[in-house]
Amino acid sequence: MGGNVSTSNGNAIPGITVEGLDVANVNDDDSQRTPTTQESSSGLGIPRKTNLSRHHSSRRKRDKDILRRDSSKRRSDKPISIQVKQGAPGVDVSNSKLTAIPLDLFQRPDVSNIRWMDVSYNEIPEIPPQLSKIACITSLNFDNNFVTDIEDTLVGLTKLNKLLLSNNRIKVFSPSLLRMHCLTELSLSNNKISDLPSNLGDLSNIVCLYISHNMLTSLPESIGQLKFLKILDIRYNNLTSLPNSIEELSSLERLQAYCNQIVALPDGLGSCTELRVLRISSNKLADLPLTLGNLSKLETLDLHNNQLTQLPECVCELANLVDLHVGDNQITYFNENISGLQRLQTLKANSNSLQCLPTFIDSLKSIKYLHIRNNNIRTIPETLHELPHLQVFDAKNNPIHFPPREVMERGLPSIKAFFEEMKRSGSSRSSRLKITVLGAEGSGKTSFIHCLTQGCVPSDLTPTLGINVTRWIPVEDPNMAFMLWDHSGNTLYDSTHQFFFSAGSLVFLVVNLSQYETQNEASYQYCVGKYISMLRKFGGESVIQVIGTHNDRCQSSHVTTTCEEIVKHIQTDVNKITKDFDSRIRQASDMVELFRAYQRSHNHSEVEACSTPSPLCPSASEEPVQDVIEFIKKVKVSQPKFLSNIPKVCGVKDMHGVKDFRRILFKLTQDKKRYPTVELFLPKSWLSLDEEIKKLKEDSPIPVIPLQSLIDIAQAKDPEFKEKDILEALLYLHMTGEVLHFYSIPGLKDYVFVSPLWLINTIKCVIHPAHRSSDRITSETIKSAWSHLSLSSDQFNLLQTLATAFGLWYSESNDNYVIPTLMPSEEQNSEIVRNVATIKEINISHPYMQVDYHTLPVDEYQIINKYVFPHHMPEGLMGRLIVKCRRHCTQYDYLSPHCISAVKNGANIVCVNTIAGENVLTLCTRAVKDKLLNMWRMLLAFLYEIEELLSQWSGLLFYRYLVCPHCFLTKEPTPFHFLGEWYTANVSRLPEIVKIACPVARGAVRVHLKLLYPPKNAHVQPAQVSESEIQVVASTLSEHWVTLAKLLGLTEEDFSAFMTTSTSSEDQITSMLEYWIDKRKELATSEDLQLAVKTLNKIHLGTSLEDDRTEKTETITTKKVMVSNDVGDSSANNTNDSSNCKMVINL
């Protein structure tokens, strides 16, 4: 690894290539060769053609050299003592870096008393013949050494019953082993044995035989003579079949034969009636013998990753089966006989071709875990909620439309609640569809909608600013309701469009044919391409219908040519994107195979011992790449669909052609396969709630209502309508555009916007072309823009919360707001940004920005993260990130549409968006070494906001990387990039090592893990303000509380809301903080309060934020409540308990 990731257009960015696999044994002949763009993948930098056998060649020698270099002192000269375990004396010299067993051991007078010996995890190349002197030894562990041959050195050990020789270099199964008739357990896994002796049956007493991870192509027939064999492990070989004599293994309980090339199982396997575990995944099985139904004691059957097209009948006869894995096959349906598996608890059928989940699934009464992701299932049967023990239901990446998408996305509890509510209140048909209308300025969207819904175009029609919402019930079908959302074509609103997109909607993409220039890529991108890109990133499986307008203003030949070009261009893009997804999945799968080959030739414990990284990441696990594969599949499924024809309408007043389009529209909505969500059967209580909301709109002009008030209204009519079911109904109404309820956004989830248009109008009053001259706007300007709305104080505060939560603007001071959307889109050519603490210079070269990597001071650390977007970065991401990250910083040093520079607690961070073939978001954080914890906390805060924002685009493809610190220091032109998935993973998945090797440095340099993975105490979630904190702050601040209120973002208008008649400053502070918490909701964190107090100290008491650790402090109260900048003080953020909270005011 450690080279370049080639981009989709042939450019290269720093990433992962095969070169870094030198640690994983790429042949020395090729180790110096840099892979070309054609050899690298377009996503993960995996070689397109790699000989997996290369990874077996030189690894042992290399690891041996590393171990010898790292261990200057051996323990071989230390006396060996005899230990007693379980009443038996023995010798344990494991993991002692021995190259030979000390000869003085065999000269001890009590050597004959030894019953066991453990010499595993050493570097011993041969078994000493002197071992034969220990005739009474019964257990010998020689795992993880360098043994190449056994010869006759063990012949004298006639009482040996346990011999472990796994992870060595043995190539030949020694005939001397066959003379050890007392052996009951033999392990030869992870060697290079290619053949077993024909008289293997001479090991007549063997119970456990482990010969996995070798090079076997067949098993001898004599294996059937092993009458006492209970465990047979033959996984990871090259077997194509099993011998017929396997039917004679009457004691066999566990057979592990996965990861071979087996094409069929022998009928005799059904005679192994004691078999309890059968794992034969990752083979080439197309069917199973009927005799397998005789395995009455079988509890676990793993058949995943084979070539099954249906579930074999014999499987349904396994009455005691508990775990069944049939994923990654081509199964299209489940036979009804599966209902006979009454003890089945786990069913995994991921990545098949299942069309439906059968209604008789409820007959599996014991099922606990049901996995059916990556199939073609469209509906979930109502009987699912009747499974009493079901705990996990994974149906991701299926085109499911019933229950509604919003219900499915919230998981099993919501699914069960949906079906239970249908059963309680009954079901009723709902026919409605949200239509999103997009198009460039002047395309005729608004005129088209008026003509479609009203039959004509008003003479006083003006262009749309923001969004217009029209509810349309056509006369052709009074039971059908359309919600048309007309999005402005003004580029100012491009970044806000996605807030109002809905999954599964129909999209009208309106194109002015008279303005479209053929053979002009820029014209296509402006009129069509950018909107398709917007919808791709949003995901949601929308259906796009391109509509051509103003065809009366151009030649008929131009109309024909333009429509054909648009369709061809879209189809080309679809094919290109599909191939790109498939290529990335294939390359990632190849990378998993590389890792598995790496596992076959490397011992995991040795990897940890010598700190050698795998081809993937420091965690030495394939899980990060598996996560990438699942992510790419999910993004691929969520891509929009396109209709190939382009209806054409005129630009005159009656827009000739609209009537024909109405017929096309109604025909489209009757296509249940393409629009399965148009007509749904929903709980009657959901539709009753919709009617109540409509009455509310008619009776009162209130545009927004508290959630609890709406719940009270619903339950007043239906007392049994539970709150959780009301929330599910609101999600559905949100999806269809009837209301807006942002249930996942703190500060907004407690309100329902019953008039979406009102919310849209409030936003467009501020983000308006008239305000585009500056990215800063005063509070008076906002109030003036909203003056006609007659906002109450609560509504005003709610909109400010919404603006922050959406990332639209933030308060820079009491009077000014920063609106990143209004920032200039371009920087002055060759501008140099100065005074940036994290990186000394940021070169901004129009129109791109590039971070210069400079020499790192010896007393500082630096961590660099990257997000790579192969198919463009979402519109407005940087602007929203500026707003969202503001609360994590003491200050912003610099802002632009492409760059954030910030500082907090001695840690500095720069976030830069660069464009060089692919969009790259780079985060570089730097701090002095004793501020490492602060640096990680600041970086994690930024990463948290980025991840939260990116999760809102379900169709967005991106990769996470972490730049190797060693490569940065040495100014490596193609630095190694670790996959970011391991970095966001659970800490327990990482090896217990301090340092790992830098692959670019060919293992010669070790990188400290603290620069690659955050310490556990850095993963601190923002704590909410506790009552004890409020009490202590109120009792200590006295006359400075007004300044504190302003630091917390409260305005003079807020003062009137919380001011009390009490003359006590403590009462005023308590009231102010309670008001602030109520206003900010979950955003009012203990960290924000602590930061405000520290800033107050600096303003009024003259203390330095940078020198807190060296100043003398005086505690105002015995209940010390203080914010500490000390790197080691991590517990302060972990608790709200008054005895542990610390908010100290320095004097």
Side-chain angles (χ1 to χ4, degrees):
M1 297 183 184
N4 292 330
V5 174
S6 64
T7 66
S8 56
N9 61 4
N11 296 325
I13 63 168
I16 302 174
T17 66
V18 68
E19 184 178 356
L21 288 176
D22 71 286
V23 181
N25 301 316
V26 174
N27 250 353
D28 292 338
D29 295 339
D30 296 330
S31 59
Q32 300 296 330
R33 182 176 62 85
T34 301
T36 63
T37 302
Q38 287 75 19
E39 290 175 318
S40 298
S41 79
S42 58
L44 296 173
I46 308 157
R48 296 193 183 278
K49 294 182 180 180
T50 303
N51 186 353
L52 298 183
S53 63
R54 289 183 175 182
H55 301 281
H56 298 266
S57 59
S58 58
R59 185 259 178 186
R60 295 292 184 180
K61 180 178 182 300
R62 195 168 295 158
D63 281 353
K64 183 175 180 180
D65 292 340
I66 291 174
L67 285 169
R68 285 177 174 171
R69 182 179 65 243
D70 291 346
S71 55
S72 58
K73 293 184 178 181
R74 304 286 177 180
R75 287 172 46 187
S76 58
D77 56 341
K78 295 183 179 180
I80 298 176
S81 60
I82 295 180
Q83 308 172 19
V84 177
K85 290 183 180 179
Q86 297 181 349
V91 174
D92 185 355
V93 290
S94 61
N95 200 23
S96 300
K97 301 179 181 178
L98 297 175
T99 56
I101 299 177
L103 295 179
D104 57 356
L105 171 65
F106 304 106
Q107 298 171 2
R108 295 172 58 110
D110 54 354
V111 66
S112 60
N113 295 329
I114 295 176
R115 294 295 182 270
W116 58 268
M117 181 179 291
D118 187 352
V119 292
S120 60
Y121 295 98
N122 284 290
E123 301 175 34
I124 302 174
E126 60 183 7
I127 300 175
Q130 290 86 349
L131 266 179
S132 59
K133 296 180 180 180
I134 313 177
C136 294
I137 192 171
T138 60
S139 176
L140 178 60
N141 186 351
F142 243 93
D143 284 346
N144 298 282
N145 278 280
F146 295 161
V147 175
T148 58
D149 198 358
I150 301 174
E151 298 179 348
D152 295 331
T153 53
L154 301 176
V155 173
L157 305 181
T158 56
K159 296 185 179 181
L160 192 66
N161 56 47
K162 182 177 182 180
L163 177 58
L164 307 181
L165 287 164
S166 63
N167 292 289
N168 278 281
R169 303 178 179 181
I170 301 169
K171 295 183 179 181
V172 179
F173 190 101
S174 176
S176 62
L177 295 176
L178 301 176
R179 299 197 292 272
M180 304 177 72
H181 300 294
C182 291
L183 271 183
T184 59
E185 181 176 348
L186 175 61
S187 177
L188 290 167
S189 296
N190 286 84
N191 281 284
K192 298 182 179 181
I193 300 172
S194 58
D195 196 15
L196 295 178
S198 59
N199 56 339
L200 183 66
D202 291 350
L203 292 173
S204 56
N205 291 310
I206 202 75
V207 175
C208 304
L209 179 59
Y210 303 95
I211 48 177
S212 67
H213 293 84
N214 277 285
M215 303 166 67
L216 301 175
T217 57
S218 63
L219 298 178
E221 287 290 338
S222 62
I223 197 171
Q225 301 173 20
L226 306 179
K227 301 298 182 182
F228 299 104
L229 186 64
K230 291 185 177 182
I231 299 176
L232 177 59
D233 185 358
I234 51 175
R235 57 200 166 96
Y236 285 99
N237 279 285
N238 295 314
L239 301 173
T240 57
S241 63
L242 298 178
N244 292 325
S245 61
I246 201 168
E247 64 182 357
E248 300 174 18
L249 299 177
S250 57
S251 300
L252 190 64
E253 296 180 0
R254 176 185 290 265
L255 173 59
Q256 300 195 146
Y258 56 88
C259 293
N260 280 283
Q261 306 293 323
I262 301 173
V263 295
L265 295 178
D267 292 339
L269 187 60
S271 301
C272 302
T273 54
E274 295 297 318
L275 201 60
R276 285 174 168 78
V277 177
L278 177 58
R279 300 187 184 277
I280 48 177
S281 61
S282 298
N283 280 284
K284 297 182 178 181
L285 299 174
D287 201 358
L288 299 180
L290 295 176
T291 55
L292 246 61
N294 300 330
L295 302 178
S296 57
K297 295 183 179 180
L298 193 66
E299 297 177 351
T300 299
L301 177 59
D302 188 353
L303 294 166
H304 86 267
N305 195 20
N306 276 284
Q307 299 174 8
L308 302 174
T309 56
Q310 60 181 0
L311 190 65
E313 289 286 342
C314 58
V315 174
C316 301
E317 300 174 8
L318 302 172
N320 285 308
L321 199 62
V322 176
D323 300 312
L324 175 60
H325 304 257
V326 291
D328 294 284
N329 282 284
Q330 294 96 45
I331 298 174
T332 56
Y333 68 96
F334 284 133
N335 192 297
E336 191 170 355
N337 293 335
I338 197 176
S339 59
L341 303 179
Q342 289 297 301
R343 293 193 60 198
L344 192 66
Q345 296 182 13
T346 302
L347 174 58
K348 292 186 177 181
N350 297 331
S351 301
N352 277 280
S353 301
L354 294 172
Q355 302 297 316
C356 65
L357 194 62
T359 55
F360 52 79
I361 194 71
D362 64 316
S363 61
L364 301 177
K365 298 298 183 182
S366 300
I367 199 77
K368 293 182 179 179
Y369 311 100
L370 181 56
H371 300 261
I372 54 171
R373 67 163 60 192
N374 297 325
N375 280 283
N376 296 316
I377 297 173
R378 294 180 173 272
T379 61
I380 303 298
E382 297 181 33
T383 52
L384 183 77
H385 81 284
E386 299 176 6
L387 295 172
H389 303 293
L390 188 61
Q391 300 174 12
V392 176
F393 178 57
D394 183 1
K396 296 178 181 177
N397 299 345
N398 279 284
I400 296 173
H401 61 83
F402 181 80
R405 184 191 309 269
E406 292 69 30
V407 174
M408 294 298 301
E409 288 178 350
R410 288 167 64 88
L412 183 61
S414 293
I415 297 172
K416 285 188 173 183
F418 174 81
F419 287 129
E420 289 169 0
E421 183 62 17
M422 283 193 70
K423 186 176 181 180
R424 183 194 72 82
S425 67
S427 62
S428 182
R429 191 186 75 160
S430 172
S431 298
R432 64 184 76 197
L433 180 64
K434 179 179 179 180
I435 300 177
T436 302
V437 186
L438 299 173
E441 283 187 294
S443 61
K445 301 184 302 298
T446 307
S447 299
F448 171 74
I449 291 174
H450 274 271
C451 197
L452 179 67
T453 59
Q454 301 175 18
C456 63
V457 180
S459 57
D460 58 348
L461 193 63
T462 58
T464 301
L465 286 179
I467 301 174
N468 283 331
V469 182
T470 303
R471 181 182 176 85
W472 175 42
I473 299 178
V475 294
E476 292 90 338
D477 187 357
N479 295 319
M480 183 71 192
F482 293 97
M483 295 291 291
L484 293 99
W485 288 60
D486 178 12
H487 292 253
S488 171
N490 193 311
T491 56
L492 180 65
Y493 300 102
D494 286 351
S495 61
T496 60
H497 283 334
Q498 72 265 9
F499 298 141
F500 307 102
F501 287 169
S502 295
S505 65
L506 174 62
V507 179
F508 289 166
L509 180 50
V510 183
V511 180
N512 186 336
L513 299 178
S514 65
Q515 293 180 352
Y516 187 93
E517 298 179 15
T518 58
Q519 305 297 319
N520 187 327
E521 180 66 22
S523 179
Y524 171 79
Q525 291 299 330
Y526 176 75
C527 296
V528 181
K530 79 169 186 176
Y531 297 104
I532 291 179
S533 176
M534 203 180 292
L535 292 166
R536 283 191 188 282
K537 285 173 282 194
F538 177 76
E541 302 176 62
S542 299
V543 178
I544 300 176
Q545 171 69 73
V546 180
I547 300 172
T549 61
H550 301 84
N551 65 329
D552 56 314
R553 299 185 184 180
C554 45
Q555 298 282 339
S556 60
S557 58
H558 175 79
V559 172
T560 304
T561 303
T562 298
C563 292
E564 290 177 352
E565 180 180 301
I566 292 175
V567 171
K568 184 178 180 180
H569 210 312
I570 291 175
Q571 191 58 51
T572 300
D573 287 348
V574 169
N575 295 337
K576 181 179 178 181
I577 292 291
T578 302
K579 289 180 180 179
D580 184 61
F581 280 129
D582 293 339
S583 174
R584 293 175 187 275
I585 293 172
R586 184 170 58 254
Q587 301 299 328
S589 300
D590 289 346
M591 196 170 194
V592 172
E593 290 303 318
L594 288 177
F595 175 76
R596 289 174 179 172
Y598 175 90
Q599 279 190 316
R600 293 187 185 105
S601 60
H602 290 59
N603 175 264
H604 183 69
S605 299
E606 280 189 46
V607 171
E608 292 187 5
C610 68
S611 305
T612 304
S614 77
L616 306 183
C617 57
S619 64
S621 168
E622 69 182 65
E623 290 185 37
V625 178
Q626 293 286 13
D627 293 343
V628 171
I629 294 173
E630 285 296 312
F631 175 63
I632 297 174
K633 288 181 178 179
K634 175 185 175 183
V635 173
K636 180 182 177 182
V637 169
S638 69
Q639 294 300 293
K641 310 297 187 297
F642 298 89
L643 301 178
S644 58
N645 65 313
I646 299 182
K648 295 168 279 293
V649 296
C650 294
V652 294
K653 188 173 182 178
D654 63 350
M655 296 194 78
H656 177 73
V658 172
K659 292 182 180 180
D660 293 335
F661 179 76
R662 284 172 68 115
R663 288 192 292 270
I664 294 174
L665 176 61
F666 290 123
K667 186 176 180 180
L668 287 175
T669 56
Q670 293 172 5
D671 187 346
K672 297 298 187 292
K673 186 175 181 180
R674 181 169 286 163
Y675 302 102
T677 60
V678 171
E679 183 177 292
L680 290 176
F681 283 90
L682 302 172
K684 286 184 177 179
S685 56
W686 287 25
L687 303 180
S688 297
L689 177 63
D690 185 25
E691 294 300 322
E692 290 298 319
I693 292 175
K694 290 176 183 176
K695 291 180 182 178
L696 193 65
K697 292 179 183 178
E698 296 171 357
D699 298 341
S700 172
I702 298 176
V704 57
I705 182 173
L707 174 62
Q708 188 57 51
S709 299
L710 188 59
I711 292 174
D712 293 340
I713 293 173
Q715 292 181 337
K717 183 176 181 180
D718 184 356
E720 296 183 4
F721 199 3
K722 298 178 182 178
E723 180 176 334
K724 63 177 183 179
D725 297 320
I726 295 174
L727 294 176
E728 300 293 347
L730 285 174
L731 277 176
Y732 171 73
L733 295 176
H734 175 95
M735 182 269 288
T736 56
E738 299 285 354
V739 302
L740 293 176
H741 179 226
F742 305 101
Y743 70 94
S744 62
I745 300 179
L748 297 181
K749 65 182 182 181
D750 295 329
Y751 295 89
V752 179
F753 295 89
V754 294
S755 175
L757 189 58
W758 176 85
L759 176 59
I760 295 165
N761 287 331
T762 58
I763 293 176
K764 76 180 183 182
C765 286
V766 178
I767 303 179
H768 193 279
H771 302 147
R772 209 164 192 173
S773 58
S774 174
D775 60 349
R776 281 160 173 80
I777 191 170
T778 65
S779 58
E780 290 301 320
T781 304
I782 293 181
K783 292 176 184 177
S784 175
W786 287 347
S787 59
H788 67 288
L789 299 175
S790 302
L791 299 176
S792 66
S793 177
D794 288 342
Q795 290 174 345
F796 184 88
N797 293 332
L798 178 63
L799 289 174
Q800 294 286 21
T801 302
L802 180 142
T804 303
F806 276 12
L808 298 178
W809 63 77
Y810 69 87
S811 175
E812 189 176 40
S813 64
N814 289 336
D815 297 322
N816 288 319
Y817 292 86
V818 176
I819 306 179
T821 304
L822 300 178
M823 285 182 175
S825 59
E826 297 181 353
E827 302 293 338
Q828 292 183 358
N829 194 27
S830 302
E831 177 185 358
I832 302 295
V833 183
R834 304 292 182 181
N835 301 320
V836 178
T838 306
I839 300 178
K840 304 307 179 185
E841 290 181 340
I842 299 180
N843 295 334
I844 303 178
S845 179
H846 178 79
Y848 302 128
M849 178 179 287
Q850 176 64 45
V851 177
D852 285 345
Y853 298 106
H854 295 273
T855 303
L856 186 69
V858 293
D859 63 336
E860 292 186 6
Y861 283 138
Q862 180 160 285
I863 301 171
I864 302 173
N865 292 81
K866 287 185 178 181
Y867 287 81
V868 179
F869 303 89
H871 304 152
H872 304 297
M873 185 184 293
E875 292 78 7
L877 176 62
M878 279 298 293
R880 295 178 65 188
L881 189 61
I882 288 172
V883 177
K884 301 285 279 184
C885 290
R886 178 63 184 88
R887 66 190 181 101
H888 301 297
C889 312
T890 304
Q891 67 186 66
Y892 273 152
D893 283 351
Y894 176 77
L895 283 180
S896 84
H898 308 292
C899 177
I900 306 172
S901 173
V903 61
K904 181 178 180 181
N905 294 344
N908 307 276
I909 192 168
V910 164
C911 181
V912 180
N913 169 29
T914 60
I915 307 172
E918 290 178 335
N919 283 266
V920 182
L921 186 65
T922 303
L923 287 89
C924 177
T925 181
R926 178 180 288 186
V928 294
K929 292 184 176 179
D930 62 354
K931 297 283 188 179
L932 179 64
L933 183 60
N934 289 353
M935 182 169 69
W936 269 116
R937 285 181 174 171
M938 189 173 190
L939 177 59
L940 288 175
F942 270 63
L943 292 176
Y944 170 80
E945 299 294 354
I946 292 173
E947 293 287 337
E948 185 179 29
L949 286 172
L950 294 180
S951 67
Q952 298 174 20
W953 286 278
S954 63
L956 177 65
L957 182 64
F958 63 91
Y959 296 110
R960 308 174 182 91
Y961 295 113
L962 196 149
V963 180
C964 174
H966 168 260
C967 295
F968 162 77
L969 287 174
T970 58
K971 299 182 180 179
E972 173 66 35
T974 55
F976 178 76
H977 284 49
F978 292 109
L979 285 180
E981 276 66 22
W982 74 269
Y983 152 78
T984 58
N986 192 302
V987 180
S988 62
R989 288 166 55 175
L990 291 174
E992 295 298 327
I993 57 177
V994 177
K995 296 183 178 182
I996 65 167
C998 170
V1000 171
R1002 307 185 64 76
V1005 175
R1006 304 302 169 88
V1007 179
H1008 206 291
L1009 200 61
K1010 67 184 179 183
L1011 298 179
L1012 294 174
Y1013 194 88
K1016 294 182 180 179
N1017 54 355
H1019 290 274
V1020 179
Q1021 294 298 323
Q1024 302 304 304
V1025 179
S1026 65
E1027 292 183 6
S1028 61
E1029 287 180 284
I1030 295 176
Q1031 293 172 4
V1032 174
V1033 173
S1035 64
T1036 56
L1037 283 185
S1038 65
E1039 72 273 11
H1040 298 310
W1041 68 269
V1042 176
T1043 305
L1044 177 64
K1046 293 181 178 179
L1047 290 172
L1048 293 174
L1050 299 181
T1051 64
E1052 292 183 3
E1053 279 192 1
D1054 295 323
F1055 277 57
S1056 61
F1058 65 74
M1059 290 288 287
T1060 66
T1061 57
S1062 173
T1063 58
S1064 167
S1065 61
E1066 185 171 343
D1067 291 343
Q1068 295 288 4
I1069 296 171
T1070 301
S1071 176
M1072 179 268 292
L1073 290 178
E1074 289 176 348
Y1075 174 83
W1076 174 66
I1077 293 171
D1078 183 63
K1079 177 182 177 180
R1080 296 282 290 169
K1081 307 297 181 183
E1082 287 85 346
L1083 297 178
T1085 65
S1086 177
E1087 183 182 7
D1088 290 338
L1089 179 58
Q1090 293 166 357
L1091 179 61
V1093 170
K1094 289 186 71 65
T1095 306
L1096 181 69
N1097 291 341
K1098 185 176 181 180
I1099 294 173
H1100 291 285
L1101 303 177
T1103 61
S1104 171
L1105 295 179
E1106 297 299 325
D1107 300 326
D1108 281 343
R1109 293 188 302 136
T1110 57
E1111 288 188 5
K1112 296 181 179 179
T1113 62
E1114 176 179 295
T1115 307
I1116 301 296
T1117 175
T1118 55
K1119 287 185 180 180
K1120 300 178 182 178
V1121 185
M1122 171 175 191
V1123 183
S1124 174
N1125 266 353
D1126 198 334
V1127 172
D1129 187 12
S1130 61
S1131 61
N1133 290 331
N1134 277 326
T1135 179
N1136 289 331
D1137 186 82
S1138 60
S1139 62
N1140 293 326
C1141 287
K1142 301 180 180 178
M1143 184 188 299
V1144 170
I1145 299 178
N1146 296 331
L1147 296 179

